[in-house]
Amino acid sequence: MRWLKFTASGKTSWGVVEGDQVIAVDGDPLSEWQRTSRTHPLSQVKIELPLIPRTFYCVGLNYLKHLKEAADKAGMVPAVPDRPEIGYRAQNALIAHDEDVVIPSLATEKIHYEGELVVVIGKKVKHLTEANAMECVFGYTIGNDVSERSWQKADRSLWRSKNADTFKPMGPWIETEADLAKMKTIVRVNGKETNRFATNDMIFGVVPFLVELTKYFTLWPGDVIWMGTDGASPDIKHGDVVEIDITGVGTLRNRFVREQR
């Protein structure tokens, strides 16, 4: 199923996307819900964030090409990780499909995108195994991990380079039946393709990260894990529109605008 959080006629609710229509539901897909008779054309609703995660996990350097490019820029030999490692991002950075990424007025021209698969957790779990790890996955959505690279180099943490307001578009919906093995990630800037890779061609896939995470943390319904990206990004400027398409999931689209002060 394709679950959408949307606003129509002044009311925000969950709905199921079927073709070009949204069928509103009462309740929450992560708990209890039921269909209603209310329907809306998809083109006429405001698409909201699919959810606000309780914990916002992220994966860095999880694709070989991206790892090599990062190492080359730093003048270093690529060091392939020998185990899954997890970081965090900030909820304040989240925005929805078709909302604007605001480039801070103090930012340089080094604004980059990263198209990422987002895993949405559907139930409370801990101490998962390879055999049962995927049982906690509710579905998938799409993330754009925006970065200000000069800040990333200058700071000892990623506090502003990755977590500035609006730097984490996510959406447009949650797809529960997508096939990891068949996914392709395609990124377009102003309609021109700039990156394409097999989504599941990760150094460590979804299962190893779920197993590693739950050795230490309880995962809760609505938690998300952003799985990293491959390739590199051009410098994104004011007015550019970035679209991230993941096969079987959908397309996340956001315009970039520079803050005026």
Side-chain angles (χ1 to χ4, degrees):
M1 298 179 71
R2 185 163 284 179
W3 285 98
L4 179 72
K5 194 77 170 289
F6 71 98
T7 299
S9 304
K11 182 177 180 179
T12 299
S13 63
W14 282 98
V16 177
V17 179
E18 294 183 353
D20 60 359
Q21 297 290 308
V22 182
I23 298 92
V25 304
D26 288 334
D28 182 331
L30 296 176
S31 55
E32 296 182 357
W33 60 275
Q34 59 182 10
R35 287 177 180 247
T36 73
S37 59
R38 305 188 303 273
T39 63
H40 307 272
L42 178 59
S43 61
Q44 295 181 22
V45 304
K46 165 68 171 69
I47 296 177
E48 306 290 354
L49 273 167
L51 43 75
I52 303 293
R54 173 177 175 142
T55 308
F56 185 169
Y57 298 101
C58 63
V59 174
L61 300 177
N62 198 27
Y63 290 79
L64 285 173
K65 185 178 177 183
H66 188 61
L67 178 67
K68 183 179 185 301
E69 287 168 341
D72 288 347
K73 288 180 181 179
M76 301 171 63
V77 176
V80 179
D82 59 2
R83 60 188 175 90
E85 293 194 22
I86 299 287
Y88 301 92
R89 296 290 179 262
Q91 291 178 343
N92 68 279
L94 289 166
I95 59 170
H97 172 77
D98 265 343
E99 294 182 345
D100 290 343
V101 176
V102 179
I103 303 170
S105 61
L106 297 174
T108 69
E109 300 303 313
K110 294 297 179 182
I111 302 294
H112 292 172
Y113 65 74
E114 293 181 356
E116 305 199 10
L117 178 70
V118 178
V119 179
V120 181
I121 301 303
K123 63 180 181 179
K124 181 182 176 182
V125 290
K126 195 172 184 183
H127 300 303
L128 292 169
T129 67
E130 289 191 6
N132 66 11
M134 293 301 290
E135 294 176 7
C136 76
V137 175
F138 177 71
Y140 304 96
T141 187
I142 304 169
N144 185 350
D145 186 3
V146 178
S147 305
E148 209 284 16
R149 297 301 190 191
S150 64
W151 294 346
Q152 188 171 344
K153 291 179 180 179
D155 299 340
R156 288 180 293 177
S157 73
L158 303 175
W159 71 278
R160 57 175 175 162
S161 64
K162 293 278 191 178
N163 294 314
D165 288 346
T166 76
F167 270 24
K168 294 292 167 284
M170 185 171 72
W173 43 60
I174 302 169
E175 173 59 60
T176 64
E177 297 178 15
D179 185 345
L180 274 170
K182 296 179 180 179
M183 290 181 184
K184 296 284 185 181
T185 300
I186 303 104
V187 185
R188 299 179 182 87
V189 178
N190 303 325
K192 180 180 179 181
E193 184 174 317
T194 58
N195 199 8
R196 178 186 290 258
F197 58 92
T199 311
N200 202 32
D201 191 20
M202 305 171 190
I203 298 172
F204 296 102
V206 174
V207 169
F209 273 103
L210 290 171
V211 172
E212 186 70 13
L213 256 175
T214 58
K215 291 177 182 177
Y216 313 98
F217 305 117
T218 300
L219 292 177
W220 294 83
D223 284 350
V224 298
I225 309 170
W226 290 37
M227 293 302 301
T229 194
D230 207 356
S233 165
D235 293 344
I236 299 299
K237 63 184 184 301
H238 174 81
D240 284 346
V241 176
V242 175
E243 294 175 295
I244 300 167
D245 179 31
I246 297 184
T247 310
V249 180
T251 302
L252 172 66
R253 179 180 60 241
N254 299 89
R255 183 178 61 140
F256 285 64
V257 297
R258 183 165 284 274
E259 180 183 31
Q260 302 296 316
R261 293 186 62 185

